[in-house]
Structure formats: C-alpha cells, structure tokens
Amino acid sequence: DLDKMGSQLKFLSQKQDVILIKNLLVSVQSRWEKVVQRSLERGRALDDARKRAKQFHEAWKKLIDWLEDAEKRLDTEVEISNDPDKIKLQLNKHKEFQKTLGSKQPVYDTTVRTGRALREKASLADRKS
C-alpha cells in the first residue's frame, strides 16, 4: 500500500525529506483520483453511446425490414389490369400503400438524424484520439 510505504519513509527519513515525501504522496494521490474520475466519466460516456447506438440499430433494422417487405410487395404487383374495376382496386391498394409510406416518414427522418448524429460524434472522437 502506497500510504503505508510513504508513512514508513517519512518516519525513517530526515526532516527535510519528509516534506518532499509528503508532497510526492499528495501529488500521486491527486493524480490517481483524477484518473479514477476520468475513467468513471469515460465509462458513463461509453455506456450512453452504446445505448444510443443500440436504439439506432433497432430503429434502423425495423425500417430496413419494412422497406424490404414493401419492395417485395411492389415487385409482386407489377401488372396493371385493363379491367376498370381491377384498376380501381389496384389504385385503392396503392393509395393505402402511399398512406402507410407517408406514416413511415417521421421514423425515417428520426433514424437518419440519429445515425448522422452518431456518425458525427464518432468522427469528432476519432479526430481527438
């Protein structure tokens, strides 16, 4: 233990060295505490970054899954009928799809914004190190 060793050194040293030893012990203790504090702050920042990255990934995955499903549905409905009733049905289905697509816009915007913010924060951190 450093404190114990420092106390022994102070006890065994000459008087003029005791002050130097005390100052060195105070200095190393202060530096130690700063490193511990910075380590705790770094741990909190990493945990926060992990949570935000996980939330982004989950939102991104849901959006990608929906987009892939939407693409498949659009690809299967390629032919446009000549029958007015079938065209009307296809048009109604397409309007419903457009409505659903429009409802996904806020999810898309939020996901893109979050992804850009994560990328920018990572870029800033990369430039610092």
Side-chain angles (χ1 to χ4, degrees), residues 21-100:
I21 292 169
K22 254 188 204 178
N23 288 341
L24 289 172
L25 285 170
V26 167
S27 173
V28 78
Q29 183 179 9
S30 173
R31 290 174 70 185
W32 177 263
E33 288 170 1
K34 285 179 184 174
V35 168
V36 167
Q37 184 61 35
R38 286 179 62 196
S39 173
L40 290 172
E41 290 169 5
R42 174 102 170 128
R44 283 191 289 270
L46 286 169
D47 190 47
D48 183 54
R50 182 191 57 78
K51 286 177 188 173
R52 283 186 281 114
K54 183 179 177 195
Q55 289 172 343
F56 166 75
H57 186 266
E58 289 170 356
W60 174 83
K61 180 71 174 129
K62 284 181 186 177
L63 187 60
I64 290 297
D65 289 347
W66 184 86
L67 284 169
E68 287 173 353
D69 184 53
E71 287 174 329
K72 286 176 190 171
R73 279 185 276 136
L74 286 172
D75 287 344
T76 60
E77 300 170 4
V78 197
E79 285 194 32
I80 297 175
S81 177
N82 289 326
D83 179 3
D85 290 335
K86 286 184 179 180
I87 294 173
K88 187 175 182 179
L89 182 65
Q90 287 176 326
L91 189 58
N92 287 336
K93 283 176 77 176
H94 188 68
K95 283 181 182 179
E96 189 60 39
F97 172 78
Q98 286 180 315
K99 187 188 285 186
T100 304

Side-chain angles (χ1 to χ4, degrees), residues 119 121-129:
R119 183 185 66 202
K121 192 164 189 142
S123 296
L124 288 173
D126 289 345
R127 282 185 233 137
K128 288 180 182 177
S129 51

Side-chain angles (χ1 to χ4, degrees), residues 7 9-10 17 26 35 86 90 103 111 126:
S7 294
L9 267 174
K10 287 190 296 189
D17 294 336
V26 167
V35 168
K86 286 184 179 180
Q90 287 176 326
S103 74
T111 303
D126 289 345

